Amino acid sequence: MNKTSLLKGHLEMCVLSILKKHKSYGYEIMKELEKYDLKLKGVSSIYPILTKLKDQRWVDVSSEITDSGKARIYYTINHQGEKHLENIMKEWKELQTNIKALLIYNEEEL
Amino acid sequence: MGMELTEKEKMYLDDISRELITRKAKKEQVLFIKQQLLEHIEESRLHGIDPFDDLETPAEFVTEYCELNEVQFVSPQKASFPKSYYFIGLFSFTVTYLLSQLILTMCLTQTFSPAYQHTNFNYNLLYSISDNLWWNSMLISISLISAAAITSLTVLSIYRKGKFIS
């Protein structure tokens, strides 16, 4: 499994984490991920995730007019979203600990 | 969004639409995905970046999109006809065939005429409505063709209506 495929499974958590800090929009979120070397294969990953977050009611969506007069769609994490983020982060940390323990154990065996 | 698109961008959006249509995506889904792509193109321009730097090929885009959004676009090869439609089809075919045979018996044969007497002829609505062999074959053929045509139209209209509602 390559890095992009691994990232796909954690994208929802990463996007919610970005949104926890501040409201954002699709393009900005994508670039924010790239700052952490979490490069997506393309835009086909980011927009479906945002749609899913909206459909699951983990984010609130609003349209705002930018300085250039363009309407931009902003996503803001809501209370439900924050709760969900807490849960998935907890699960992810547990899983990470378990995998790490397994890898270390097997490494010692070698 | 009302922005001017380059030929390359237009072609890309058309290819995406075509790809989505072959995967039986609904019209509103196609429009929604196109709207998101337009948003990306516009944002890329605002940031002075070529939108195609972050775009996959149309086929890759649609596959990735479906996978991540858990969208179930039906693959044309795997498109299945709901089972209930087979029952509707069978029912429609049987009823139409029998009705057609009955109407043809009444209108085009002398079988039901009180004056008609033919001791060797056994009337059966399914396969024997006339004592004349070629005429009987002809009438059965007419009934079969009518039943097939009406069944096709019925099932197709129900299928289209069902798709429209869903």
Side-chain angles (χ1 to χ4, degrees):
Chain A
M1 194 181 273
N2 60 30
K3 197 179 166 184
T4 315
S5 304
L6 273 171
L7 173 61
K8 261 193 244 170
H10 301 102
L11 200 52
E12 185 183 297
M13 183 170 64
C14 295
V15 172
L16 281 173
S17 175
I18 291 170
L19 293 176
K20 199 183 173 187
K21 209 173 166 190
H22 56 81
K23 69 174 182 181
S24 191
Y25 54 95
Y27 189 87
E28 192 179 55
I29 293 167
M30 195 170 74
K31 294 296 159 192
E32 183 78 15
L33 286 165
E34 283 176 16
K35 276 187 201 168
Y36 293 90
D37 200 21
L38 300 171
K39 179 109 175 79
L40 298 164
K41 202 177 169 191
V43 294
S44 59
S45 307
I46 196 71
Y47 289 105
I49 286 293
L50 290 169
T51 310
K52 187 184 172 184
L53 297 181
K54 185 188 80 171
D55 291 345
Q56 297 287 335
R57 296 181 183 178
W58 291 324
V59 294
D60 296 325
V61 181
S62 59
S63 181
E64 288 178 26
I65 306 293
T66 62
D67 297 338
S68 59
K70 170 197 176 297
R72 182 179 278 159
I73 297 159
Y74 275 93
Y75 299 84
T76 314
I77 192 166
N78 56 28
H79 181 65
Q80 257 180 292
E82 284 182 358
K83 285 292 252 181
H84 178 69
L85 177 64
E86 268 175 41
N87 291 336
I88 51 174
M89 273 176 69
K90 197 180 156 198
E91 278 172 20
W92 179 70
K93 281 173 185 168
E94 274 173 16
L95 185 70
Q96 202 187 30
T97 309
N98 294 340
I99 292 172
K100 203 173 171 183
L102 181 140
L103 293 176
I104 290 169
Y105 174 78
N106 284 303
E107 209 170 35
E108 283 167 359
E109 288 285 300
L110 287 171
Chain B
M1 285 187 182
M3 64 170 177
E4 285 286 319
L5 293 172
T6 64
E7 277 305 309
K8 193 181 172 187
E9 287 162 352
K10 275 182 200 167
M11 264 177 66
Y12 186 81
L13 289 178
D14 287 346
D15 289 346
I16 293 275
S17 300
R18 214 172 298 121
E19 185 72 28
L20 287 165
I21 289 162
T22 54
R23 288 175 191 239
K24 308 271 179 200
K26 288 176 197 162
K27 200 179 170 185
E28 57 265 34
Q29 285 172 322
V30 179
L31 285 173
F32 186 62
I33 292 169
K34 276 177 88 173
Q35 193 189 336
Q36 291 187 327
L37 279 168
L38 285 170
E39 188 184 320
H40 170 74
I41 292 168
E42 202 166 12
E43 285 297 341
S44 299
R45 283 185 190 171
L46 276 174
H47 291 83
I49 294 165
D50 182 359
F52 288 96
D53 285 355
D54 296 311
L55 288 173
E56 308 95 321
T57 65
E60 278 176 346
F61 176 90
V62 174
T63 307
E64 286 277 307
Y65 196 100
C66 299
E67 197 186 305
L68 263 161
N69 209 22
E70 290 158 23
V71 179
Q72 298 298 316
F73 294 150
V74 183
S75 166
Q77 295 84 5
K78 289 178 186 170
S80 62
F81 214 52
K83 270 186 180 175
S84 59
Y85 290 5
Y86 288 107
F87 291 110
I88 294 168
L90 189 70
F91 178 76
S92 165
F93 187 87
T94 312
V95 169
T96 314
Y97 178 76
L98 292 175
L99 267 174
S100 170
Q101 286 283 86
L102 191 68
I103 293 164
L104 292 175
T105 308
M106 290 191 290
C107 301
L108 299 174
T109 72
Q110 293 180 319
T111 313
F112 289 164
S113 166
Y116 179 72
Q117 280 186 340
H118 202 297
T119 50
N120 294 331
F121 174 62
N122 288 317
Y123 175 80
N124 190 307
L125 187 64
L126 281 176
Y127 57 86
S128 180
I129 57 174
S130 168
D131 60 342
N132 187 316
L133 187 64
W134 73 266
W135 186 231
N136 187 48
S137 307
M138 177 85 91
L139 296 179
I140 287 173
S141 303
I142 293 169
S143 295
L144 283 172
I145 292 166
S146 310
I150 289 173
T151 301
S152 307
L153 287 172
T154 308
V155 173
L156 201 69
S157 65
I158 293 172
Y159 181 67
R160 278 184 179 168
K161 204 174 174 183
K163 264 180 83 177
F164 181 72
I165 291 164
S166 69

